[in-house]
Amino acid sequence: MRSGEVDEGPYARAGGRLPGDPVPGTGLRGVHEERVERRTSLARSLVRILPALLVVGGILYGVLTPMEFTAAPFFTAASLVAAPLTSLRATVVTGVAATAGTLAVHAWFSSQTSAGSVTEDVTVATVALLAVGINRVVRLGDKRLASAREIAEAAQRAVLPEPAEHIGGFEIAARYEAAQAGAFIGGDLYAVQDSPHGVRIIVGDVRGKGMGAVAAVAVVIGAFREAAEQEATLEAVAQRLERALAREDTRREGIDAYEGFTTAVLVEIPHGDEAVRFLNRGHPPPLLLHADGRLKALLTGERALPLGMGELGVWPDRAEETGFPCGATLLLYTDGLTEARDAHGWFYDPERRLAGRTFDDPCTLLGVLAEEVRRHSGGGMTDDMALLAVRRP
């Protein structure tokens, strides 16, 4: 077995799938997503009918029990449940129904009307009015949250735009999976740039989260695009990125000013040659998936420090080269992929899981990977994950 290749073994002889694996090419929705969607749909249906059930339950309780047993908790609960979970119209309808319900119950015992029943009527009506106010406050908060998410998504897309599907004759696909559902901003990055020296790629991971990490991502991608166009070698590109991060560190405060760094892998695919050059700065190694299912990890001979840690020592960058034949796909990723754990604490191993398998296109590969990682971690990923695949047609 050649160095860097994975023994396919019985896993490949079984068709490249482990028990319970989704079938490649079946779409981006996996079993886990379908189950979550079913549970969500069921929960939404229950929420829609719960206020009505409480009103009906209150009427039945009030009519079927003696006067001394009050049904007011059912009616007030109906309005309070509707307020944060339904629309304004539904909340108003629920409040009116609850008030009418308590009046109907007391009308049932019209011969026994008391000050207590009047107090209950006023209480239910007051809670219904308060529920309308609560609904308005909740809806306003939802609008502000939606606006904030839209701004965050726009910032993410501005800093980390999706690459074109075809660049320099290669098929490209990229995917960003946030660890927290609905979150957009993180420190993972990728960029693809066609240049006179070939198609150049970077995939990296900035230490930290939030706006500080996003600022560093913007610096790295901006410096990469400029250097990829101007520098003759990958080594020179890496040095340009090192200098750009050093300048950025002088503007950062706190721990990021001293411990900020970026793991990254740089790739160059020369025009016309069935080869790929790569330079690794402390990042997980890319994987080369051949058309026949063979897999090769692109390991470097010497380990190098991440970008931004030049003060700790200087090691000359050395790009390495290997074959990149037609039909092969190059997969680059961040450690959110390899650090995804299952319920028993086992990490997701892309080399083992992908060996012996073939995929129609890069988009299908990334979709299947995202499915499997979500299923492997039970939807509880602890780190963001960036994936980028390049296929030579």
Side-chain angles (χ1 to χ4, degrees):
M1 184 172 64
R2 290 190 292 269
S3 175
E5 294 190 353
V6 175
D7 183 10
E8 299 168 7
Y11 177 57
R13 293 192 292 272
R17 297 176 60 227
L18 290 175
D21 280 357
V23 178
T26 56
L28 300 184
R29 277 193 351 178
V31 175
H32 174 73
E33 285 77 5
E34 292 177 356
R35 290 175 179 172
V36 170
E37 184 175 339
R38 286 197 297 269
R39 294 194 197 103
T40 303
S41 178
L42 179 61
R44 287 174 178 171
S45 299
L46 179 60
V47 165
R48 282 195 294 267
I49 65 173
L50 183 57
L53 292 176
L54 288 170
V55 171
V56 173
I59 294 174
L60 293 176
Y61 182 84
V63 171
L64 299 177
T65 59
M67 182 68 175
E68 291 76 15
F69 293 87
T70 177
F74 286 89
F75 298 121
T76 55
S79 296
L80 292 176
V81 168
L85 301 178
T86 64
S87 65
L88 175 62
R89 180 178 180 181
T91 301
V92 171
V93 170
T94 300
V96 171
T99 304
T102 189
L103 291 172
V105 169
H106 292 148
W108 180 265
F109 297 98
S110 57
S111 61
Q112 305 178 42
T113 302
S114 65
S117 64
V118 174
T119 301
E120 290 177 9
D121 295 339
V122 173
T123 299
V124 172
T126 302
V127 172
L129 291 174
L130 290 174
V132 172
I134 293 171
N135 179 271
R136 297 303 299 156
V137 172
V138 171
R139 296 286 83 79
L140 180 60
D142 288 345
K143 289 181 180 179
R144 289 177 177 174
L145 178 60
S147 178
R149 290 182 60 186
E150 289 176 1
I151 293 171
E153 183 176 6
Q156 183 79 356
R157 289 177 176 174
V159 173
L160 196 66
E162 289 288 323
E165 294 182 358
H166 295 86
I167 298 177
F170 297 92
E171 299 175 8
I172 309 289
R175 186 170 180 134
Y176 191 100
E177 292 283 329
Q180 183 178 0
F184 297 98
I185 292 189
D188 292 12
L189 63 96
Y190 50 73
V192 183
Q193 180 82 15
D194 197 3
S195 75
H197 314 286
V199 175
R200 286 177 167 174
I201 303 167
I202 183 172
V203 171
D205 188 358
V206 174
R207 177 198 168 277
K209 300 289 182 184
M211 295 306 300
V214 173
V217 168
V219 169
V220 172
I221 292 181
F224 167 77
R225 292 197 181 281
E226 182 179 358
E229 187 72 22
Q230 297 176 355
E231 300 294 347
T233 65
L234 280 184
E235 292 86 347
V237 173
Q239 290 305 310
R240 284 278 290 270
L241 297 180
E242 186 76 48
R243 292 193 295 271
L245 284 172
R247 291 193 300 269
E248 173 65 13
D249 285 344
T250 62
R251 295 191 292 267
R252 304 179 76 177
E253 299 178 352
I255 191 172
D256 288 341
Y258 301 97
E259 297 185 8
F261 61 86
T262 300
T263 67
V265 60
L266 298 169
V267 170
E268 178 182 280
I269 309 174
H271 295 300
D273 295 337
E274 291 191 359
V276 58
R277 303 187 186 105
F278 56 97
L279 187 155
N280 198 320
R281 282 296 203 96
H283 200 76
L287 302 179
L288 186 62
L289 287 68
H290 291 268
D292 59 3
R294 289 181 297 116
L295 183 149
K296 178 181 180 181
L298 303 188
L299 304 174
T300 56
E302 295 183 9
R303 297 277 183 175
L305 290 174
L307 297 169
M309 301 184 71
E311 293 182 356
L312 299 181
V314 178
W315 287 266
D317 289 306
R318 291 189 179 89
E320 303 191 28
E321 183 174 318
T322 190
F324 186 19
C326 292
T329 300
L330 183 66
L331 173 66
L332 301 99
Y333 55 91
T334 58
D335 58 11
L337 176 67
T338 53
E339 292 182 359
R341 296 174 181 259
D342 63 11
H344 304 289
W346 292 96
F347 292 110
Y348 182 87
D349 185 353
E351 294 185 44
R352 182 177 67 88
R353 298 295 293 256
L354 295 177
R357 301 168 70 176
T358 60
F359 302 89
D360 295 334
D361 52 67
C363 186
T364 299
L365 167 61
L366 300 192
V368 170
L369 266 179
E371 279 185 356
E372 292 188 359
V373 171
R374 287 288 181 186
R375 293 176 64 245
H376 180 81
S377 61
M381 295 171 56
T382 58
D383 194 8
D384 294 353
M385 176 177 67
L387 305 171
L388 191 143
V390 184
R391 181 175 181 268
R392 183 187 292 275

